């Protein structure tokens, strides 16, 4: 069985994002970029399934500019077998990404597509669901446990009332949550091996998908600075402050 793992290159979670002076977007110059944390979890889970003998190949795929292959190299260092870079300079929206991934899935014929529930740059949380709809495959989102067999996958997900377990017939779509696993730190030998693993470069036109943006970004701005708090000595004083602020 083959697993397809989409990954994305985003601003590192420990780096501070800066807005461009003209508010046209986020400034990516001189900012550390890393594989999306949720996608890192997806790659780790796919590699664990391969190590358990349930999967024969793990294929990572990313969509973006040439530098996006850094996310593929990170996935290959964790243990993915090969990568596919769909190179484009356009800002690709979730629907276009889902359409491209659907074409890749049709070509690769994976048993499971496992991807992060969202990317930490735009927080859209849409691609997995759209991909399931386009392919007509069953899907389970926000997975905290995955148990794969030859014909089905059981996914445990956290809900308000506790845990919900779904059984999906293959092929299927699974999106991962933070509690699914703890990604390994790639060793230096595996990082070196990743440089020799194959990456196939494609273009959106190769799949017949139009990635022209349908949304227009009007403005990106910093969140307002938080005002300083105040200290109160008694509960009565707290109530009065809340009333004067209109909170009560």
């Amino acid at each position: 069985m083959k697993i397809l793992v989409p990954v994305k290159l985003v601003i590192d979670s420990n780096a501070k994002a800066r807005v461009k002076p003209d508010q046209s977007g986020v400034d990516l110059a001189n900012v550390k970029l890393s594989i999306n944390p949720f996608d890192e979890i997806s790659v780790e889970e796919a590699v664990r399934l391969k190590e358990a003998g349930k999967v024969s190949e793990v294929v990572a795929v990313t969509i973006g500019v040439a530098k996006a292959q850094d996310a593929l190299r990170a996935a290959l260092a964790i243990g993915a077998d090969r990568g596919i870079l769909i190179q484009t300079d356009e800002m690709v929206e979730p629907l276009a990404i889902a359409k491209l991934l659907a074409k890749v899935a049709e070509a690769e014929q994976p048993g499971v597509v496992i991807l992060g529930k969202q990317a930490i740059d735009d927080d859209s949380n849409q691609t997995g669901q759209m991909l399931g709809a386009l392919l007509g495959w069953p899907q389970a989102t926000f997975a905290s446990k995955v148990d794969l067999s030859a014909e089905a996958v059981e996914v445990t997900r956290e809900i308000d009332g506790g845990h919900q377990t779904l059984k999906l017939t293959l092929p299927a779509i699974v999106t991962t949550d933070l509690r699914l696993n703890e990604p390994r730190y790639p060793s230096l030998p595996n990082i070196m091996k990743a440089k020799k693993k194959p990456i196939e470069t494609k273009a959106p036109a190769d799949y017949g998908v139009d990635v022209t943006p349908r949304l227009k970004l009007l403005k990106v701005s910093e969140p307002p600075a938080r005002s300083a708090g105040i200290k109160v000595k008694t509960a009565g004083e707290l109530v009065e402050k809340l009333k004067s602020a209109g909170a009560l």
Side-chain angles (χ1 to χ4, degrees):
M1 183 188 301
K2 185 188 300 183
I3 288 187
L4 184 67
V5 187
V7 297
K8 185 179 184 181
L9 194 68
V10 299
I11 293 178
D12 189 88
S13 57
N14 295 315
K16 178 176 174 54
R18 303 187 304 271
V19 176
K20 293 179 179 179
D22 60 359
Q23 296 187 317
S24 62
V26 176
D27 188 0
L28 300 180
N30 302 315
V31 177
K32 182 181 178 182
L33 303 177
S34 303
I35 184 174
N36 180 48
F38 290 103
D39 298 338
E40 192 175 24
I41 291 170
S42 300
V43 177
E44 174 67 28
E45 190 67 18
V47 172
R48 290 187 185 188
L49 291 171
K50 181 184 175 183
E51 292 172 344
K54 297 180 179 181
V55 173
S56 59
E57 186 181 28
V58 177
V59 181
V61 58
T62 193
I63 302 162
V65 297
K67 187 173 175 56
Q69 67 176 298
D70 289 353
L72 291 179
R73 292 299 179 191
L76 295 174
I78 294 173
D81 298 293
R82 58 185 174 92
I84 300 172
L85 168 63
I86 304 176
Q87 188 171 330
T88 176
D89 292 330
E90 293 276 3
M91 180 182 292
V92 189
E93 297 169 355
L95 179 57
I97 292 173
K99 289 180 178 179
L100 286 169
L101 293 178
K103 294 294 185 180
V104 174
E106 290 172 0
E108 294 288 338
Q109 292 295 303
V112 180
V113 178
I114 181 168
L115 65 161
K117 69 174 184 178
Q118 64 195 67
I120 64 171
D121 52 1
D122 55 20
D123 279 335
S124 293
N125 183 19
Q126 296 175 344
T127 302
Q129 293 89 328
M130 289 177 171
L131 179 59
L134 290 170
L135 291 173
W137 293 2
Q139 60 176 289
T141 56
F142 312 150
S144 59
K145 182 180 178 182
V146 175
D147 186 9
L148 181 65
S149 65
E151 297 180 353
V153 57
E154 285 193 7
V155 176
T156 300
R157 54 199 303 271
E158 296 180 6
I159 58 175
D160 290 341
H163 291 86
Q164 180 186 61
T165 301
L166 304 174
K167 185 175 183 179
L168 313 177
T169 55
L170 301 182
I173 310 293
V174 177
T175 72
T176 61
D177 211 342
L178 286 174
R179 293 181 179 84
L180 179 58
N181 60 51
E182 183 70 30
R184 70 193 71 187
Y185 187 82
S187 63
L188 181 58
N190 286 339
I191 293 174
M192 299 305 293
K193 289 178 183 177
K195 294 181 179 180
K196 298 180 180 179
K197 291 182 179 180
I199 292 180
E200 182 181 8
T201 302
K202 294 278 193 177
D206 295 333
Y207 297 101
V209 176
D210 180 12
V211 296
T212 303
R214 290 170 168 78
L215 303 177
K216 183 179 180 180
L217 179 62
L218 300 180
K219 184 177 70 171
V220 176
S221 58
E222 295 273 5
R226 296 181 62 180
S227 58
I230 59 173
K231 292 182 179 180
V232 295
K233 295 181 179 180
T234 65
E237 187 180 354
L238 172 61
V239 172
E240 289 301 321
K241 291 289 185 183
L242 291 174
K243 286 182 177 179
S244 63
L248 288 179

